[in-house]
């Protein structure tokens, strides 16, 4: 945010979140502190948290903060993503849930989805920009800034997230009990 918004100064972060350079966990904690005089209240001049927290309300520019309560490889505390687009996507055939393919910009050491090597791969339509290769040939992955797709499952009645898959062909499902999510919008 410091590179995108002139108001996102060290002083603003320290005043609102309590840290000059917050971790993903600290962002999540701040974005979910809705108490009067809490962190979100302190940041209300530029950060708003939709009360419904429905996946279908995400839009280009929304920010997703995930907090890792279950630990992670490498000691990450969570993950931050900026939404590019949101598309309904049926993944599990369960009528009690609705899944969404959420295209995001982020920085990660693990690209979204298992590396593809064939146009018939279920991941082919959801390629991560940190993966390169040609169909039938070896692929190469790297870490850092890029674009990928995370798949978020929502309760069909409330629209609130129930969990996510890191990529289209990732088997591990992370529930919000282990990896809660908060959605916010950033304003100029």
């Amino acid at each position: 945010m410091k590179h995108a918004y002139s108001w996102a100064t060290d002083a603003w972060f320290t005043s609102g979140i309590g840290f000059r350079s917050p971790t993903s966990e600290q962002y999540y904690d701040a974005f979910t502190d809705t108490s009067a005089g809490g962190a979100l209240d302190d940041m209300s001049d530029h950060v708003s948290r939709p009360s419904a927290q429905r996946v279908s309300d995400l839009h280009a520019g929304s920010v997703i903060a995930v907090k890792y309560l279950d630990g992670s490889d490498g000691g990450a505390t969570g993950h931050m993503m900026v939404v590019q687009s949101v598309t309904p996507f049926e993944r599990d055939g369960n009528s009690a849930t609705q899944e969404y393919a959420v295209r995001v910009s982020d920085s990660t050491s693990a690209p979204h989805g298992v590396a593809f090597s064939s146009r018939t791969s279920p991941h082919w339509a959801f390629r991560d920009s940190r993966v390169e290769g040609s169909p039938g040939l070896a692929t190469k992955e790297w870490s850092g800034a890029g674009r990928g797709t995370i798949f978020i499952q929502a309760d069909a009645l409330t629209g609130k997230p129930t969990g996510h898959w890191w990529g289209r062909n990732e088997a591990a499902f992370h529930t919000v009990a282990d990896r809660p999510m908060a959605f916010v919008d950033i304003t100029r």
Side-chain angles (χ1 to χ4, degrees):
M1 286 197 298
K2 289 180 181 180
H3 299 288
Y5 302 107
S6 61
W7 52 260
T9 62
D10 288 349
W12 185 86
F13 281 100
T14 302
S15 170
I17 298 179
F19 300 92
R20 189 173 57 87
S21 184
T23 65
S24 296
E25 176 182 31
Q26 292 161 342
Y27 273 114
Y28 174 87
D29 290 345
F31 293 163
T32 57
D33 181 0
T34 58
S35 62
L40 193 59
D41 205 27
D42 290 343
M43 297 184 296
S44 64
D45 52 341
H46 296 291
V47 177
S48 63
R49 183 175 187 261
S51 59
Q53 292 290 287
R54 291 185 301 250
V55 180
S56 61
D57 291 339
L58 290 171
H59 55 85
S62 293
V63 175
I64 301 172
V66 181
K67 183 175 181 175
Y68 294 172
L69 299 176
D70 59 350
S72 76
D73 294 337
T77 63
H79 194 69
M80 299 288 295
M81 300 166 268
V82 178
V83 174
Q84 291 183 344
S85 64
V86 181
T87 306
F89 183 88
E90 183 54 47
R91 181 177 167 121
D92 67 0
N94 182 349
S95 63
T97 62
Q98 170 63 60
E99 294 76 41
Y100 294 87
V102 182
R103 186 79 171 154
V104 298
S105 295
D106 63 359
S107 182
T108 181
S109 60
H112 295 274
V114 177
F116 61 90
S117 59
S118 167
R119 288 187 191 275
T120 61
S121 165
H123 186 57
W124 185 258
F126 303 100
R127 295 183 301 278
D128 191 291
S129 65
R130 290 159 288 224
V131 178
E132 68 179 25
S134 299
L137 301 176
T139 57
K140 178 181 173 187
E141 295 184 2
W142 63 92
S143 61
R147 292 178 309 279
T149 305
I150 187 170
F151 289 79
I152 302 176
Q153 182 186 72
D155 180 282
L157 296 177
T158 67
K160 294 182 184 228
T162 59
H164 72 276
W165 293 270
W166 189 246
R168 168 66 180 91
N169 55 356
E170 297 275 352
F173 179 73
H174 303 284
T175 69
V176 293
D178 293 329
R179 295 190 176 187
M181 308 175 117
F183 307 146
V184 298
D185 292 320
I186 307 295
T187 58
R188 294 194 177 271

